[in-house]
Amino acid sequence: MTDSETPDQLDAKHDRNREQRIAAIKRWVSYIQSEPPEVWGPQQNAVVNGQLTAAQHAATSAAHQQHVADVAQDILAIQDEDSDTTDLRTDR
């Protein structure tokens, strides 16, 4: 294998990973559309809670934690702006 093949292989791996993520999302959407929230809600909560627990046990610096909080605030601000814009459009 030459060095010139490495980026192509990495791109192919990224493409496969992306396709697998999209397929998993489609399966999840199909599942939640076919089952009531009482069934899939606790399952989703268990996944999210597990991720939160893992994140809390990860050794992260104060700077990284602050960065995450800043990004979360930015996302919320964008969502608020989008909802304000949506509200304006629906008032017409």
Side-chain angles (χ1 to χ4, degrees), residues 8-20:
D8 292 337
Q9 289 178 341
L10 191 55
D11 287 343
K13 179 180 177 183
H14 289 166
D15 289 343
R16 279 191 312 275
N17 289 345
R18 183 175 184 278
E19 289 170 9
Q20 289 173 347

Side-chain angles (χ1 to χ4, degrees), residues 15-50:
D15 289 343
R16 279 191 312 275
N17 289 345
R18 183 175 184 278
E19 289 170 9
Q20 289 173 347
R21 284 192 304 273
I22 290 170
I25 291 167
K26 288 179 179 180
R27 282 192 307 273
W28 178 249
V29 168
S30 175
Y31 178 70
I32 66 172
Q33 289 174 338
S34 67
E35 298 292 333
E38 296 79 20
V39 172
W40 59 261
Q43 296 168 347
Q44 185 176 17
N45 288 341
V47 170
V48 171
N49 289 341

